[in-house]
Amino acid sequence: MTALTRLLAAALLPCLLTAGALAAPASATAYDDDPDPLRGLLLPPLDAAVALLAPLPVPATPYAGDVCVDGADACIDEVVARMESRLDGLVSTCSHSAVFSLAYLRVTENVRDAVRSGYFADRAWLNRVDAVFAEMYFDTTSRWAAGQRSGIPAAWRIALQAEDDRAMSGLGNFLLAMNAHINSDFPRVLATVGLTGPNGSHKADHNRYNNRLDSLYAPVFAEEAARFDPTFDDIDAGTAEEAVAGVIMRGWREMVWRNAEALALARTPAAKRLVEKEIEVYSALQAQLIRTFFVAKSVKRDAWCATHGAG
């Protein structure tokens, strides 16, 4: 049942999007004054389609970890401070790891602001998810920097080795790390923190952040280009660029939720290992494709960062 649901989520999204685009009337949304008309046409119907993909009945279980146990706002404040410190160190050497470090910092700041504005139904859950998610990132990157390779997910090994090799474009580094953190890490984080709370499934809050991400693509890409790699935003498809990013990210995040459900509902250790293997293989295949497509020499990029990286 779980595998079938995940398959349907992946297969039906394009069909639901098409049907929604044809049937849904225009309504007042956050996209009404958007300068990107395509985004306003595509994303609201897609959000309606994603909302139709109901969560599976995963039992509520207490969080058993030791990161952000109280779900307090201070959890994200601590994450932001650690990210700022990490980014400063990476920028000082124009490390190619700085690209994702900057993007992740900007996303975390956005999550912090959304949580405190009352944007989410369960404030403590979002704080905890953010902190546990970031802790996994800090742990993986710290172990890699210390020369420890065992236990590093395949998608992260590909991403971090590419950063060390300085053989990718800035956009390639961004996509590799984004793939590793979302497609490999995020399902495990959600399964650990919990998909269901006292008031029901957290999927609505998970879906709700899709709209916040839409506002980040243009400014983050522009900052990456200004500081680290001037070719970062050279792929210019007019108004379609950010709409396509929104569609892709919604697909990724839907699959993350379904993989987290599969982890949470696995009845035996062997069944759980099988789900983990599926996640590992999928994210690694994505990484290999990105690693092949975005190869680039770093001489000009590194020279640009040396002059502009500090921002």
Side-chain angles (χ1 to χ4, degrees):
M1 177 63 178
T2 301
L4 177 59
T5 303
R6 287 185 289 141
L7 177 61
L8 289 174
L12 291 181
L13 270 176
C15 300
L16 291 171
L17 170 58
T18 302
L22 292 174
S27 59
T29 71
Y31 302 98
D32 282 352
D33 299 320
D34 197 322
D36 180 350
L38 184 60
R39 185 161 53 188
L41 288 173
L42 285 179
L43 297 187
L46 181 53
D47 288 334
V50 170
L52 291 175
L53 300 171
L56 293 178
V58 177
T61 55
Y63 171 60
D66 57 4
V67 176
C68 194
V69 176
D70 58 1
D73 288 352
C75 297
I76 298 187
D77 292 334
E78 181 181 348
V79 168
V80 168
R82 292 177 69 185
M83 287 183 171
E84 289 174 337
S85 177
R86 172 175 166 74
L87 178 60
D88 287 344
L90 296 171
V91 170
S92 68
T93 62
C94 279
S95 167
H96 286 197
S97 301
V99 164
F100 183 68
S101 182
L102 171 64
Y104 197 5
L105 171 60
R106 296 294 178 250
V107 170
T108 303
E109 292 169 338
N110 187 275
V111 172
R112 175 198 61 198
D113 296 344
V115 167
R116 293 177 189 180
S117 72
Y119 186 75
F120 298 106
D122 193 327
R123 183 172 183 148
W125 183 75
L126 258 297
N127 284 333
R128 189 176 300 118
V129 166
D130 186 274
V132 174
F133 202 13
E135 188 63 37
M136 186 173 287
Y137 164 73
F138 291 134
D139 178 68
T140 297
T141 53
S142 295
R143 286 191 290 127
W144 181 270
Q148 300 173 21
R149 301 296 183 260
S150 62
I152 303 289
W156 268 121
R157 291 199 303 271
I158 295 169
L160 294 171
Q161 189 62 59
E163 291 172 358
D164 288 353
D165 291 344
R166 307 178 82 88
M168 301 284 289
S169 68
L171 181 58
N173 288 137
F174 168 81
L175 291 171
L176 279 175
M178 184 70 75
N179 166 67
H181 201 37
I182 292 179
N183 288 321
S184 179
D185 293 352
F186 204 8
R188 297 179 175 92
V189 169
L190 289 176
T192 297
V193 174
L195 301 173
T196 306
N199 297 320
S201 174
H202 292 296
K203 189 170 190 288
D205 269 344
H206 177 73
N207 292 346
R208 195 169 284 123
Y209 191 65
N210 289 334
N211 299 117
R212 296 283 300 201
L213 280 173
D214 295 337
S215 67
L216 286 175
Y217 302 127
V220 169
F221 277 37
E223 186 176 4
E224 298 280 11
R227 297 181 63 178
F228 302 132
D229 184 354
T231 71
F232 197 98
D233 57 357
D234 278 0
I235 299 177
D236 188 359
T239 60
E241 187 175 15
E242 293 168 37
V244 170
V247 170
I248 291 172
M249 192 57 67
R250 280 161 172 77
W252 274 14
R253 287 172 56 82
E254 180 64 25
M255 288 306 298
V256 161
W257 186 270
R258 300 307 167 181
N259 283 329
E261 286 179 335
L263 286 171
L265 293 172
R267 296 184 178 182
T268 66
K272 186 174 182 179
R273 286 195 298 271
L274 179 60
V275 177
E276 290 173 341
K277 186 64 176 178
E278 291 174 353
I279 293 171
E280 178 92 351
V281 169
Y282 172 72
S283 57
L285 288 174
Q286 298 291 306
Q288 289 168 357
L289 181 63
I290 296 166
R291 179 69 179 82
T292 301
F293 191 74
F294 289 92
V295 172
K297 295 181 179 179
S298 68
V299 175
K300 292 182 179 179
R301 170 185 171 182
D302 292 341
W304 180 270
C305 175
T307 304
H308 302 89

